[in-house]
Amino acid sequence: MRADPDLPSGAAELWERLGGRAVVVQLPRNNLTGNGTRSPPTSKREPSLIKRLASHVTRPPATSATTLIADRFTAQNRRPDGLTDLDVSALPPLLRTVLVSDSTVTSLFEAYTMRPLRVDVLAEDLVELDHGSAAWLEVPVGTACARRRVLVRDAAEDDPLYCAQTYLLPGRLPQQLRDSFIEERLGIGAAIRRHLVESLRELLWFGRAVAPNWARDHMPARLTVHRTYRIRLHGLPAILAGEDFCD
């Protein structure tokens, strides 16, 4: 048998040497198609760990979930009497994430919803600290302090997401941070991030709460998920914040 004239160069000579005998050669599987291009893999790639966890979430017992979250708060056993126990396992994943976050809350909401938020400053005034607030800011009772009340909304739909009341000690804030609160109307975390102020956020307590009187007309529900934290600047407590989230 003679070689096929249509065989590529070199293949005809090999054919003649083999005496026209067909030889089966097991080639390595390299996902190459006949034209030399790589074919797509036949097996599907495993989804990422995050996607697998999101699609197979098993709800743990309420007590273990709440304990897991409570361990992130340094003063949970000293929370105010107005707060009640909260079944953390019943909360939406986003709200559980926000509850234990020590970074900018608005950024978390925006990353999750892919929508911008708007911070509405409802009130700013100068007050004297009561015993509880003064103790957590480590200053004497009656110390003058700036109080800021804000409502954070979905900028597109105008829906409220949470409200926050913050006590700020002006003498412990860098000048650029004080100016930012007045001129830029940013949230606390956003202002700290923009001006690269070194800080430490300490989560204090959380629980089920009633929306504060000053924000009740703006919140869609009477009950909220509350947390309180303080921010240290240069090692000293400078900001005490309480946040109430719509559940």
Side-chain angles (χ1 to χ4, degrees), residues 152-195:
V152 181
R153 303 176 183 269
D154 180 309
E157 300 293 335
D158 209 39
D159 293 330
L161 296 173
Y162 68 96
C163 63
Q165 176 172 268
T166 309
Y167 295 97
L168 308 101
L169 291 174
R172 294 181 180 176
L173 300 179
Q175 184 63 49
Q176 70 269 30
L177 207 55
R178 294 201 299 269
D179 294 341
S180 180
F181 294 141
I182 298 173
E183 300 168 3
E184 298 177 291
R185 298 296 186 180
L186 297 175
I188 300 297
I192 289 175
R193 184 185 67 240
R194 173 170 294 186
H195 297 287

Side-chain angles (χ1 to χ4, degrees), residues 2-238:
R2 296 189 59 79
D4 189 331
D6 293 330
L7 286 173
S9 174
E13 181 182 352
L14 177 60
W15 178 268
E16 295 291 348
R17 290 182 180 178
L18 293 174
R21 291 180 287 108
V23 177
V24 178
V25 179
Q26 184 67 40
L27 296 176
R29 300 175 64 89
N30 57 3
N31 291 334
L32 293 181
T33 62
N35 60 6
T37 60
R38 186 171 296 277
S39 62
T42 55
S43 60
K44 293 179 63 177
R45 292 182 60 187
E46 282 290 318
S48 69
L49 176 60
I50 291 178
K51 288 184 178 179
R52 296 202 305 274
L53 289 175
S55 60
H56 297 90
V57 173
T58 57
R59 184 170 169 179
T63 52
S64 63
T66 301
T67 300
L68 181 66
I69 298 297
D71 287 344
R72 273 69 176 171
F73 291 78
T74 61
Q76 183 65 12
N77 60 345
R78 288 184 281 168
R79 71 184 186 186
D81 294 335
L83 297 181
T84 58
D85 291 341
L86 178 65
D87 180 3
V88 173
S89 66
L91 296 178
L94 173 61
L95 200 48
R96 289 201 303 269
T97 302
V98 167
L99 196 61
V100 298
S101 170
D102 58 359
S103 60
T104 308
V105 172
T106 52
S107 295
L108 286 177
F109 272 108
E110 289 177 337
Y112 184 87
T113 63
M114 299 299 291
R115 303 160 73 96
L117 301 187
R118 186 179 81 242
V119 179
D120 294 337
V121 179
L122 303 182
E124 286 180 317
D125 48 14
L126 195 65
V127 298
E128 294 183 353
L129 291 174
D130 59 19
H131 181 271
S133 299
W136 289 109
L137 288 172
E138 299 177 7
V139 293
V141 175
T143 297
C145 185
R147 183 178 64 186
R148 194 172 191 244
R149 291 170 170 173
V150 304
L151 184 71
V152 181
R153 303 176 183 269
D154 180 309
E157 300 293 335
D158 209 39
D159 293 330
L161 296 173
Y162 68 96
C163 63
Q165 176 172 268
T166 309
Y167 295 97
L168 308 101
L169 291 174
R172 294 181 180 176
L173 300 179
Q175 184 63 49
Q176 70 269 30
L177 207 55
R178 294 201 299 269
D179 294 341
S180 180
F181 294 141
I182 298 173
E183 300 168 3
E184 298 177 291
R185 298 296 186 180
L186 297 175
I188 300 297
I192 289 175
R193 184 185 67 240
R194 173 170 294 186
H195 297 287
L196 303 178
V197 177
E198 186 175 355
S199 63
L200 174 65
R201 187 177 305 211
E202 179 188 359
L203 303 176
L204 296 177
W205 56 75
F206 74 95
R208 177 67 71 184
V210 175
N213 291 331
W214 58 267
R216 199 162 294 172
D217 292 340
H218 305 277
M219 302 289 278
R222 181 172 179 270
L223 294 180
T224 65
V225 175
H226 175 90
R227 74 168 187 170
T228 293
Y229 61 90
R230 63 181 174 180
I231 297 177
R232 292 179 177 271
L233 303 177
H234 306 294
L236 295 174

